[in-house]
Amino acid sequence: MEFDVLIVGGGLAGASLAVALRGTQRRVAVVEPRAPQRPAGWDQRIYAISPASRAYLDDIGIWAHLDPSRLAPVREMAIFGDVDGHLHFSAYEAGLAELACIVESSHMQVEMWETLRRQHNVSLFSPASARSITPGEQSVAIELDDGRVLRTRLLVAADGANSVVRETLGIAARTTPYNELGVVANFTCERPHDGIARQWFRDDGVLAWLPLPGNRVSMVWSAPDAHAQTLLALDPRALADAVASAGGHALGQLTAESEAAAFALRLMRVDEIVRERVVLIGDAAHTIHPLSGHGINLGFGDAAALAARIAALPAWRDPGELAVLRAYARERAEEPRLLQGVTDALDRLFKTRHPLLRFARNSGMNLTDRLPVLRSALVRYATSGKF
Ligand SMILES: Cc1cc2nc3c(=O)[nH]c(=O)nc-3n(C[C@H](O)[C@H](O)[C@H](O)COP(=O)(O)OP(=O)(O)OC[C@H]3O[C@@H](n4cnc5c(N)ncnc54)[C@H](O)[C@@H]3O)c2cc1C
């Protein structure tokens, strides 16, 4: 079977790319071992979708189909330092409707897959996974675990941080473990969150509470491995108490709505995101500390840029041409690198115990808080990628 674009990995980055190619005449294939499913309650994996990502999901026809009762706008963000530092961002002040929108991962992915199943130019191979890859001059051959062989002019690796495609092709990744786990769980809270996302830089990690619909919050606690294991060993009631107390009971008592889950955190950089007939997108190309909440926003940025490049090609042009892919790589070089650098620096800055640095980082937050122009510029950058 021959395709123009074959996407290994039907997660959010890969599935959204396939949807975005709907208007083209390209034959698209998606290979994914696990079809997404709606969880019984609230998904533990939730994302802060930036206005730029929301616009992309709207353009490709996904946003309008999301159930509005499962979306929560973030209108304000309150960040607390480890001493008395405080920083406050507001959508209203920055002239925006919202800073971000909180959406469950599975909610978006299920919607994308429903679209893909009806899409005339897409063949879904699922459950299936890529087992081996043989690059050739005119096409790349991908052998699936069931023995079928697919050929494509462009192979897109959207198979996540542990990308098999990247590894099989010997594309080097520089990985720095943070020695931290992202512990996630959902809670109901005693007092309304008022659409405010809260984040605390603490000695035992970075704790974030993101608003969910109703009186619910989703927690991401990026905690050093040992502390994360302690949190994971707590029963739901003790965990809720520990999380409420770490957040200074800002929303009163918390009650656990889900089991806690955890993900290893690491910084991963790849210098070669394209080569002849191959491109890496999403977490296969870069991972980032979750304290900025931008991982999937970067993945959507990749998918949007690649889809636009492919859609702009005349039908006779080969989407696997190196010139096309190099132009894409240049376009996507800056944003991931900049965000990786900033979040990594922030993580290091708040891990340092030195009293002078502790003073400087908290004073810096308070100073920024008193400069509305700087705050608005930071918000504009975080939401649109532009000052
Ligand atoms: C604790 C935590 C909190 C986070 N919070 C946020 C947040 O608030 N906002 C945000 O934007 N990001 C956040 N992220 C980051 C986000 O989870 C990732 O950036 C995002 O999931 C990457 O999407 P992806 O589609 O590139 O990869 P993945 O979601 O990893 O998808 C890869 C897909 O490839 C498939 N696959 C793997 N191997 C093969 C194979 N051999 N053949 C075929 N398919 C294969 C997998 O089954 C999977 O479906 C967070 C991450 C963590 C760890």
Side-chain angles (χ1 to χ4, degrees):
M1 278 176 275
E2 310 255 338
F3 296 95
D4 296 305
V5 181
L6 185 146
I7 304 165
V8 177
L12 289 176
S16 83
L17 172 65
V19 175
L21 293 172
R22 181 170 28 187
T24 69
Q25 299 304 312
R26 307 291 179 177
R27 293 156 304 166
V28 178
V30 177
V31 178
E32 166 62 49
R34 282 173 294 276
Q37 289 181 339
R38 282 185 211 280
W42 290 82
D43 194 348
Q44 290 152 322
R45 203 170 249 239
I46 66 98
Y47 296 133
I49 298 300
S50 69
S53 294
R54 176 180 173 156
Y56 164 62
L57 295 175
D58 206 19
D59 276 357
I60 66 171
I62 294 297
W63 192 265
H65 293 284
L66 298 179
D67 175 355
S69 71
R70 299 197 77 112
L71 309 180
V74 178
R75 297 205 174 83
E76 293 178 37
M77 180 150 195
I79 305 175
F80 305 91
D82 51 345
V83 185
D84 59 353
H86 179 236
L87 196 48
H88 179 255
F89 295 106
S90 131
Y92 178 75
E93 258 182 35
L96 296 167
E98 61 194 30
L99 295 174
C101 190
I102 305 298
V103 192
E104 295 154 282
S105 176
S106 55
H107 188 189
M108 286 185 283
Q109 210 188 345
V110 165
E111 197 49 56
M112 286 175 194
W113 275 61
E114 273 171 21
T115 301
L116 288 180
R117 287 192 177 104
R118 294 192 303 265
Q119 199 169 313
H120 71 281
N121 66 336
V122 165
S123 306
L124 267 178
F125 295 88
S126 183
S129 54
R131 187 166 64 186
S132 73
I133 296 161
T134 315
E137 212 167 284
Q138 299 303 320
S139 64
V140 183
I142 293 96
E143 192 192 349
L144 304 185
D145 49 355
D146 59 13
R148 281 179 290 180
V149 176
L150 313 177
R151 285 177 203 285
T152 184
R153 295 204 284 170
L154 174 62
L155 170 64
V156 181
D159 50 346
N162 300 320
S163 171
V164 168
V165 174
R166 197 184 62 227
E167 214 150 274
T168 310
L169 294 177
I171 298 176
R174 287 175 287 134
T175 302
T176 315
Y178 281 111
N179 302 318
E180 288 175 1
L181 297 177
V183 181
V184 292
N186 298 331
F187 301 94
T188 45
C189 40
E190 207 181 359
R191 291 205 289 273
H193 50 61
D194 295 325
I196 303 175
R198 295 171 170 83
Q199 191 170 38
W200 291 266
F201 284 83
R202 298 167 46 86
D203 280 344
D204 53 10
V206 185
L207 170 66
W209 295 357
L210 301 171
L212 283 175
N215 269 12
R216 292 186 192 86
V217 288
S218 166
M219 170 197 78
V220 184
W221 195 333
S222 310
D225 287 336
H227 187 58
Q229 293 302 346
T230 310
L231 292 171
L232 289 167
L234 296 175
D235 65 55
R237 203 179 175 147
L239 178 69
D241 287 346
V243 173
S245 158
H249 294 98
L251 299 177
Q253 294 300 328
L254 300 183
T255 311
E257 270 223 342
S258 67
E259 297 270 303
F263 309 87
L265 306 184
R266 62 194 152 163
L267 174 70
M268 190 200 65
R269 293 182 165 111
V270 177
D271 293 327
E272 190 191 4
I273 60 165
V274 301
R275 59 167 63 165
E276 186 99 46
R277 306 207 168 281
V278 180
V279 55
L280 273 53
I281 68 167
D283 274 19
H286 38 65
T287 64
I288 183 169
H289 196 288
L291 73 85
S292 73
H294 267 303
I296 198 54
N297 291 316
L298 284 177
F300 283 148
D302 294 347
L306 185 58
R309 293 261 162 210
I310 295 172
L313 292 177
W316 53 268
R317 284 279 300 271
D318 180 346
E321 253 179 56
L322 193 54
V324 174
L325 301 178
R326 282 210 176 123
Y328 162 81
R330 278 194 298 278
E331 182 182 345
R332 292 303 295 159
E334 190 192 353
E335 198 191 359
R337 208 174 294 161
L338 193 71
L339 266 173
Q340 283 178 320
V342 170
T343 43
D344 189 51
L346 265 176
D347 181 62
R348 282 166 195 269
L349 179 64
F350 275 91
K351 269 187 193 140
T352 308
R353 302 268 181 272
H354 194 286
L356 255 182
L357 270 180
R358 196 182 277 257
F359 171 77
R361 66 196 175 213
N362 285 280
S363 312
M365 288 177 85
N366 291 333
L367 181 65
T368 309
D369 202 47
R370 285 196 289 273
L371 298 172
V373 177
L374 175 57
R375 269 189 294 137
S376 295
L378 287 173
V379 169
R380 273 198 305 280
Y381 187 78
T383 52
S384 69
K386 296 182 188 77
F387 282 110

